[in-house]
Amino acid sequence: LFDLLFGEEEAAAPPARVQQPQRAPRQQAPAVTAAAPVRPSEVEKAGDATRLAVFGDSLAIDLSRALERLYAEDANLVVINKGISSSGFVRDDFYDWNAALREEIAADSFDLAVIIIGINDRQEMRVDGAALPVLSPGWTAAYQGRIVAALDALRAARKPVIWVGLPPMEKTEYSAAISQIANIQRLASFAGGAEYLDIYERFLGEDGKYAELGPDVNGQTAQMRKSDGIHFAAAGSDKLAFYLSQTIRNLYRGGAVVSAVADPLLGTEAAAMLRPPYQGVGQMRLLEMAGSVIPISRAPARANELVQARTA
């Protein structure tokens, strides 16, 4: 009756449905990776670019990679890796460097040579069937003879050569032997008409001993040597390449190899002295050329003093 008199109560409207915004599908965070080393942009090399070949053992392989990075933006110079691991001038039965260099010369495969070798040469040498103990007089003479023969072939072909010395090694006994081998190489380089780049002291620590860490080309402390105590780490190779580039500038100038440099003793009394043949590529330092002039009446003068006294 109540419903008839007043009517039925309207049903309450259902609550409005709140539409939830759709969520975007959850994405996985990208994996964190180590930043790749920054490499210089490479340019296309010119067809007549100077060909710099790096010959030697595994040190040469590391050095050639560093030189490739250093000259990546130079269109006029291309680096050619000619390094052979485990090779040296002692075991010519394993790899004959004299024969290999003659083949490269015959093929005219390079314009400028860089040589760094010797870490595998601390072993006996067989000559004419006889075994020569390491660093014995016979061994030293034969070893130097093989290097001079290689450099003579390069000089005859008018191929400028930069011979890079050897760095200190971690193990004391091994380092001492390598230093003696480097000294033989130095003398052979002078006799064979090559530039010699001594790097030994540049890779010593502040205490004058072998150092795994050291300042890089930017002055920041970095790992210079690998854990084996022999080879260069990437930063060490880059540092060596930078030092080498200072010597390369004497021979390579923006697209051409300089093969004629004035004799610094020309026109002086020292020029008439008996000395190794001057090849005109700057390989004979003034001190080595005039250092044997020893006045009897007074203390020996340095070579630059001799030249200054003459030209004054």
Side-chain angles (χ1 to χ4, degrees):
L1 179 62
F2 185 83
D3 291 339
L4 290 175
L5 294 175
F6 299 101
E8 296 181 358
E9 182 179 3
E10 294 182 0
R17 183 177 181 180
V18 179
Q19 186 175 3
Q20 298 291 335
Q22 295 183 353
R23 294 183 178 180
R26 187 174 183 180
Q27 297 180 350
Q28 293 182 347
V32 178
T33 57
V38 178
R39 297 178 60 87
S41 58
E42 296 186 6
V43 299
E44 183 177 356
K45 302 296 183 178
D48 58 349
T50 296
R51 300 163 300 172
L52 188 156
V54 185
F55 300 101
D57 49 34
S58 50
L59 292 181
I61 297 175
D62 292 338
L63 177 57
S64 64
R65 291 169 180 165
L67 288 171
E68 288 175 356
R69 294 190 291 269
L70 182 63
Y71 290 104
E73 299 179 359
D74 189 341
N76 295 312
L77 189 142
V78 58
V79 179
I80 305 172
N81 180 4
K82 292 290 184 178
I84 303 295
S85 295
S86 303
S87 67
F89 274 95
V90 169
R91 289 290 305 275
D92 57 0
D93 58 323
F94 169 73
Y95 192 83
D96 190 339
W97 269 109
N98 288 79
L101 287 171
R102 288 194 297 268
E103 292 177 1
E104 296 290 346
I105 291 170
D108 191 24
S109 62
F110 65 99
D111 303 304
L112 174 62
V114 170
I115 301 176
I116 180 169
I117 196 169
I119 60 175
N120 305 301
D121 284 342
R122 192 189 62 158
Q123 53 185 311
E124 69 177 20
M125 184 187 307
R126 300 196 68 85
V127 178
D128 298 329
L132 304 177
V134 181
L135 295 172
S136 63
W139 187 99
T140 299
Y143 187 75
Q144 184 171 350
R146 292 183 182 183
I147 295 175
V148 171
L151 293 175
D152 284 347
L154 291 165
R155 180 172 57 183
R158 302 185 64 83
K159 301 291 186 182
V161 182
I162 302 174
W163 193 290
V164 182
L166 298 172
M169 303 296 168
E170 183 175 21
K171 295 184 178 179
T172 304
E173 183 180 356
Y174 176 61
S175 186
I178 291 300
S179 294
Q180 294 182 62
I181 291 173
N183 287 332
I184 298 171
Q185 294 177 354
R186 180 203 297 268
L187 295 175
S189 298
F190 292 153
E195 283 274 2
Y196 183 83
L197 177 62
D198 191 351
I199 64 171
Y200 186 87
E201 293 186 357
R202 293 175 176 176
F203 288 93
L204 291 175
E206 294 181 356
D207 57 355
K209 298 180 181 179
Y210 171 89
E212 183 177 353
L213 304 178
D216 61 12
V217 293
N218 298 314
Q220 302 297 320
T221 301
Q223 185 172 355
M224 294 287 104
R225 310 294 291 275
K226 293 181 179 178
S227 58
D228 60 7
I230 298 174
H231 294 88
F232 289 104
S237 296
D238 288 340
K239 186 175 182 177
L240 174 56
F242 171 77
Y243 286 135
L244 178 58
S245 69
Q246 309 306 302
T247 303
I248 291 175
R249 288 192 307 181
N250 297 331
L251 304 172
Y252 163 76
R253 298 177 186 171
V257 174
V258 179
S259 59
V261 178
D263 188 339
L265 293 182
L266 188 62
T268 69
E269 292 178 354
M273 62 178 283
L274 181 63
R275 54 195 172 108
Y278 186 77
Q279 298 304 310
V281 293
Q283 72 273 16
M284 294 300 178
R285 294 286 184 264
L286 194 58
L287 182 58
E288 280 79 19
M289 289 190 293
S292 59
V293 178
I294 304 177
I296 299 177
S297 59
R298 61 185 177 87
R302 295 183 63 85
N304 60 346
E305 295 173 355
L306 292 173
V307 176
Q308 292 172 3
R310 173 63 180 173
T311 57

